[in-house]
Amino acid sequence: ASASAFAPSTSNTRASTSLAASQVTRNPNFGKLVGGYLFPEIGRRRNAYLEENPEMASKIISLGIGDTTQPIPEHILSGLVSSASKLGTKEGYSGYGAEQGMGDLRAKIADKLYNGIIKSDEVFVSDGAKCDIMRVQQVFGSGVVTAVQDPSYPVYVDTSVMMGQTGEINKETNQYDNIVYMPCTAENDFFPDIESTPRADIVYFCSPNNPTGAAATKEQLEHLVKVCKERGSILVFDAAYAPFIRTEGVPKSIFEIDGAREVAIECNSFSKYAGFTGVRLGWTVVPDELTFSDGTKVRDDFNRVMSTAFNGASNIVQGGGLACLDDEGLAEINTLIDYYLENANLLKEAMESIGYDVFGGTDAPYVFVKLPEGKKSWDVFSEILEKTQVVTIPGAGFGPGGEGYLRLSAFAPRDVVIEACERLKVAMAK
Ligand SMILES: Cc1ncc(COP(=O)(O)O)c(CN[C@@H](CCC(=O)O)C(=O)O)c1O
């Protein structure tokens, strides 16, 4: 069992202390969430293990959370530093900026990353793709039906629950009522048979995918856009791992697909491009043509959320974003991504060498390992942690479709990846 295997998060337990309870009724949607968010739960279990085994602290290595580890390269760093230094001068100081982002950064994203197929005023600069997913959810509200790939990044489901779009979780299936789960399996190359799934208003689709590592082909994305168009659905395309795509012809943006402007929003991020996971810089593209059933523009409502509930991405960080998109910055990004892709290749080869079926890891920083029949991923997570002190992510944490798999992330330093491969080859040998 996936979610229910989590320790009940504090938000699910009634206050048992003597503190005087407020008279405020709790938002019932938060009570529907089962357990805590996946990644803090991984950290909790890691810490619980270390509490029991303090002597293992120096041995712990992580192939868990997809968090970058390589230092920010020189040119990109100079962008951050010079932006910060400017704030110390009269002529360079700036306060609140446009909530939608600096005009020249919006223009540079549209130009350098979309070759002009997107207009700069359709680009909204933010503090990250995860944050924008919740902002997009706020635009859609509680009255929509959401579809997700299964397995997928847990934020889509959890924010749908928080927004009141769902019923309770079905303890048998580990699926929330009123969410459409689109199975992504080894049998369908981790691309869902969309026609066979019920219509949803909003379809979240991540490619290259977290956790499976599958990068959808042009034909697959053309089909996805076509079905969304026919059904009047809005597609939220999460392209946070686009820079990892190296296979010729595989789209890096949904807007490479004809017709996407009428159906799609794209969330993206500098996190994995440039090691900005802690710097916090992302963007969302909402095309002018995208409208609701009453003809109003989705872009206008997204802009309303951004201007009402957000005061813009940091001016320092946006300076770093501008440097990322210089030729020197783009070259540095390529070098960083190559480094992580080599790590992914090492992980893939190591697990295949001991007889596992391994998916992803080619156009993505995640390797998705098929476990032996009947093995539960949370059990394997614990087994590996205890035997090898390597932190991984159980597939069940990404939805019921992830059960029976393990996600390994390629973001650790090279020597750590090599060490982890050696330990896993010993401990997981069939
Ligand atoms: C598909 C996807 N979208 C967005 C993000 C986050 O983008 P930001 O721009 O950094 O907000 C992640 C990071 N997922 C990582 C980290 C865990 C998390 O974001 O909760 C992971 O899956 O390990 C992701 O996997």
Side-chain angles (χ1 to χ4, degrees):
S2 60
S4 53
F6 288 3
S9 72
T10 46
S11 65
N12 286 354
T13 52
R14 191 170 292 290
S16 55
T17 62
S18 58
L19 290 176
S22 77
Q23 298 308 309
V24 178
T25 305
R26 184 191 189 197
N27 177 340
N29 299 317
F30 284 73
K32 296 174 190 167
L33 290 166
V34 176
Y37 180 60
L38 172 60
F39 296 98
E41 177 60 22
I42 296 291
R44 195 190 65 75
R45 295 193 189 208
R46 171 194 175 280
N47 295 340
Y49 169 75
L50 285 179
E51 248 165 58
E52 295 277 304
N53 309 275
E55 75 287 1
M56 291 296 180
S58 60
K59 279 204 70 184
I60 285 273
I61 52 182
S62 176
L63 302 178
I65 188 167
D67 192 5
T68 47
T69 56
Q70 297 310 295
I72 291 177
E74 191 186 337
H75 181 77
I76 294 171
L77 184 66
S78 70
L80 291 167
V81 170
S82 62
S83 294
S85 310
K86 262 173 31 184
L87 293 177
T89 66
K90 251 179 133 24
E91 57 286 351
Y93 176 78
S94 64
Y96 284 130
E99 296 87 353
Q100 300 78 10
M102 290 176 178
D104 49 357
L105 180 55
R106 299 175 79 187
K108 210 166 186 180
I109 288 171
D111 174 38
K112 294 281 190 172
L113 298 179
Y114 294 94
N115 300 321
I117 56 174
I118 288 295
K119 300 192 299 277
S120 63
D121 66 359
E122 296 172 318
V123 178
F124 293 82
V125 178
S126 74
D127 51 344
K130 179 193 257 189
C131 324
D132 280 352
I133 290 161
M134 188 54 162
R135 292 177 180 124
V136 164
Q137 289 280 26
Q138 287 175 309
V139 168
F140 296 136
S142 59
V144 295
V145 175
T146 285
V148 297
Q149 294 159 286
D150 183 22
S152 70
Y153 183 44
V155 171
Y156 314 134
V157 167
D158 288 5
T159 53
S160 292
V161 176
M162 290 172 171
M163 288 305 296
Q165 297 168 7
T166 77
E168 301 287 342
I169 195 160
N170 177 322
K171 290 260 194 296
E172 293 302 307
T173 63
N174 264 324
Q175 296 185 346
Y176 280 96
D177 292 341
N178 212 40
I179 284 196
V180 173
Y181 289 79
M182 305 187 292
C184 296
T185 64
E187 292 69 33
N188 64 16
D189 283 337
F190 299 98
F191 185 82
D193 172 9
I194 312 157
E195 267 90 356
S196 70
T197 53
R199 180 194 175 280
D201 299 299
I202 315 297
V203 178
Y204 286 88
F205 198 93
C206 173
S207 177
N209 187 263
N210 173 13
T212 68
T217 65
K218 190 168 176 15
E219 295 68 33
Q220 288 173 330
L221 293 180
E222 283 169 343
H223 186 63
L224 176 63
V225 165
K226 175 173 171 288
V227 174
C228 286
K229 181 91 179 153
E230 286 165 356
R231 293 181 168 184
S233 304
I234 290 178
L235 172 61
V236 180
F237 191 77
D238 187 335
Y241 299 100
F244 286 87
I245 293 173
R246 288 286 190 277
T247 302
E248 193 58 38
V250 172
K252 296 191 174 186
S253 165
I254 196 65
F255 298 116
E256 295 175 42
I257 306 299
D258 287 346
R261 292 180 59 90
E262 286 82 43
V263 301
I265 288 171
E266 181 164 295
C267 295
N268 213 318
S269 170
F270 283 93
S271 281
K272 309 306 174 8
Y273 271 85
F276 273 30
T277 48
V279 172
R280 307 307 306 144
L281 187 64
W283 72 93
T284 289
V285 178
V286 189
D288 249 350
E289 294 89 323
L290 187 61
T291 64
F292 289 110
S293 54
D294 65 359
T296 54
K297 289 185 173 190
V298 174
R299 184 182 166 286
D300 291 347
D301 287 359
F302 189 77
N303 184 54
R304 188 67 158 89
V305 168
M306 288 299 267
S307 44
T308 310
F310 185 56
N311 264 334
S314 147
N315 43 20
I316 297 170
V317 166
Q318 292 190 69
L322 285 167
C324 284
L325 300 176
D326 291 335
D327 291 346
E328 303 91 318
L330 292 169
E332 289 174 339
I333 287 171
N334 265 336
T335 305
L336 278 174
I337 299 290
D338 284 343
Y339 178 91
Y340 292 128
L341 281 171
E342 174 54 22
N343 283 353
N345 190 46
L346 290 172
L347 291 167
K348 191 175 173 73
E349 286 180 349
M351 298 311 291
E352 285 173 341
S353 74
I354 52 174
Y356 285 82
D357 289 335
V358 183
F359 303 93
T362 309
D363 290 316
Y366 298 124
V367 166
F368 207 48
V369 183
K370 181 87 181 85
L371 298 174
E373 268 324 295
K375 280 273 192 184
K376 292 290 183 195
S377 54
W378 275 107
D379 295 342
V380 176
F381 162 83
S382 302
E383 233 174 272
I384 290 175
L385 181 58
E386 280 144 30
K387 278 189 190 168
T388 69
Q389 294 73 53
V390 175
V391 178
T392 59
I393 306 278
F398 298 96
E403 185 50 276
Y405 287 87
L406 200 63
R407 189 194 84 171
L408 308 180
S409 84
F411 289 105
R414 180 64 46 77
D415 58 335
V416 170
V417 168
I418 291 169
E419 171 62 20
C421 287
E422 292 314 307
R423 296 189 197 174
L424 292 173
K425 284 196 289 190
V426 171
M428 292 184 74
K430 287 188 173 179

